[in-house]
Amino acid sequence: MSREVGIGVIGLGGMARHHIERLGEVEGAKIVALCDVSPEALAEVGDRLGVPEMRRYRSGEALISDPEVEGIVAVTPNDSHAAILLACIGAGKPLFAEKPLTRTLDEAREVAEAYRRSPMPLLINFSYRNGPAFQYARRFVAEGRLGRLNHLFVQYLQDWGATVKDAPFLWRFDEAVAGTGALGDLGSHMMDLAEYLTGSRMVELQAMLSTIVPQRRDPKTGAPAAVRVDDFACLNARFASGAIGVFQTSRNALGSGNQHEIALYGEKGTLRVSTLNDRELVWIYPAEDGQGTVTETIAVPESEGLNPWAAFVDGIRSGRPLRPDFAGLEDGYRNQRLLEAVVQAHLSRAAVPVEAE
């Protein structure tokens, strides 16, 4: 029987419920403390998990300082990311945090500097890295089966923000809380996955951001509220390898529930991967007789894919570092610099270099 590891969860919204469910599947993981600004959420989740009243916190700092909490899972809006990261780094408490790393690049720099002075186990939830098909695709590329990568197309489309769905003004539409819109929420995944799968970094970016729905209904008053973040973003990227990437993301793509996909076009063939079926890849390559192409659907073995919740808990228990496939602080910081470069490329209407740091 594995030693029990006490986990604290900060933030009890919809995404946190997924983390709680997955933690419940990890042998030896026990949620011992909760934190949320909502007393109703604390009561509901606390009662369901049997967390005692004394460990239902309204303050993230109080949970982090609880000696029974060995590791923390934080699932909160972007404006609280930096404070939680800094508090966990200061306390030396392992943290499993949501992306993007922070709301702004200045916040990210402060966090990165603190982490480099006092490193500790830290996992940033770029979750699509973990998917079976994306893991298989990464190895496919690393083995050289595409040959030289010429170009790639990446998109992440959702439709919950489309006008006809009348989504209200949520924190994701609030610039003061989110920083950016679809770019930081969905685009961060696209750029992380592109660099992760190709093994090459972006060195130059062009970009265009747009707010398709400029006003949304305030859920409390019903009055229109101005949206000052993007709900559509597109960009072109030049990679260090010489490959060119074309990216688009939207919250207004009707018919796209959660459609994140990538097509890699190499000299030896084309590889396509999508969340619409994360147990298969499509591989297109020249026919042996030189006439036309062959399209092969590759079934991904059941053994593929990574489990970040199990890895996080095992890392706390064993003291071993997480394998590099999982995104860490430096990956999150790199991603924040890419987000900033996209914004600057949009504002300048020019190609912007991604500076090495």
Side-chain angles (χ1 to χ4, degrees):
M1 177 68 177
S2 299
R3 179 181 75 78
E4 193 171 81
V5 174
I7 301 293
V9 179
I10 302 177
L12 299 177
M15 190 63 194
R17 309 303 174 99
H18 175 66
H19 282 277
I20 289 169
E21 179 182 347
R22 296 305 303 270
L23 282 167
E25 299 168 358
V26 177
E27 183 181 358
K30 183 178 181 181
I31 296 174
V32 297
L34 301 170
C35 174
D36 199 272
V37 295
S38 165
E40 293 79 15
L42 277 174
E44 184 260 311
V45 179
D47 289 351
R48 177 161 54 85
L49 298 180
V51 174
E53 293 277 354
M54 63 182 292
R55 289 202 161 86
R56 301 180 190 183
Y57 297 104
R58 301 292 295 276
S59 157
E61 290 78 6
L63 181 144
I64 292 165
S65 65
D66 187 327
E68 294 297 314
V69 174
E70 298 178 74
I72 291 141
V73 175
V75 197
T76 61
N78 300 354
D79 61 341
S80 60
H81 286 192
I84 292 171
L85 282 156
L86 290 169
C88 287
I89 292 168
K93 287 280 179 85
L95 174 64
F96 186 165
E98 276 297 331
K99 54 82 220 163
L101 183 69
T102 54
R103 179 181 46 178
T104 68
L105 183 56
D106 285 344
E107 289 179 342
R109 284 198 179 102
E110 182 183 3
V111 168
E113 289 169 3
Y115 175 81
R116 290 164 184 169
R117 290 193 300 267
S118 304
M120 34 76 83
L122 203 158
L123 192 157
I124 305 298
N125 192 31
F126 285 107
S127 55
Y128 293 103
R129 289 187 178 205
N130 309 324
F134 292 116
Q135 275 292 309
Y136 196 91
R138 184 172 190 263
R139 188 160 58 253
F140 198 101
V141 174
E143 290 171 353
R145 295 173 67 180
L146 270 75
R148 183 188 67 244
L149 183 62
N150 296 323
H151 55 94
L152 56 149
F153 174 67
V154 191
Q155 64 178 3
Y156 194 166
L157 307 177
Q158 294 182 344
D159 65 1
W160 63 271
T163 308
V164 296
K165 297 212 168 184
D166 192 30
F169 188 85
L170 308 170
W171 71 262
R172 293 189 186 278
F173 297 118
D174 188 341
E175 184 180 31
V177 178
T180 60
L183 174 64
D185 186 19
L186 309 180
S188 59
H189 278 301
M190 292 198 303
M191 292 188 289
D192 177 75
L193 192 63
E195 290 195 336
Y196 178 69
L197 291 190
T198 64
S200 182
R201 289 194 160 190
M202 302 177 209
V203 295
E204 185 180 53
L205 292 169
Q206 300 170 316
M208 185 180 297
L209 308 179
S210 178
T211 305
I212 295 172
V213 185
Q215 289 186 330
R216 294 188 181 270
R217 172 179 47 83
D218 186 307
K220 294 181 180 178
T221 67
V227 176
R228 295 187 175 89
V229 297
D230 58 285
D231 54 14
F232 174 87
C234 60
L235 58 128
N236 298 325
R238 186 183 305 277
F239 287 75
S241 66
I244 301 294
V246 177
F247 300 72
Q248 70 167 352
T249 184
S250 176
R251 289 175 171 152
N252 304 275
L254 281 172
S256 300
N258 191 56
Q259 185 177 345
H260 189 194
E261 50 203 11
I262 185 166
L264 303 164
Y265 299 92
E267 61 180 343
K268 296 181 181 179
T270 296
L271 188 67
R272 293 179 177 151
V273 198
S274 175
T275 55
L276 298 182
N277 191 331
D278 68 356
R279 285 290 173 186
E280 69 177 34
L281 296 84
V282 176
W283 170 228
I284 304 169
Y285 54 91
E288 287 188 11
D289 60 7
Q291 302 298 311
T293 58
V294 176
T295 300
E296 179 184 351
T297 299
I298 302 173
V300 178
E302 290 293 325
S303 58
E304 284 291 343
L306 302 176
N307 186 326
W309 300 275
F312 181 63
V313 172
D314 182 65
I316 295 170
R317 182 187 291 118
S318 67
R320 292 190 297 266
L322 294 170
R323 58 189 283 185
D325 287 306
F326 296 108
L329 186 285
E330 296 296 346
D331 298 297
Y333 181 51
R334 162 73 182 173
N335 192 265
Q336 201 74 43
R337 290 196 292 115
L338 289 174
L339 293 175
E340 178 66 18
V342 170
V343 172
Q344 294 307 315
H346 164 71
L347 293 174
S348 66
R349 301 188 178 185
V352 169
V354 181
E355 302 292 346
E357 190 170 319

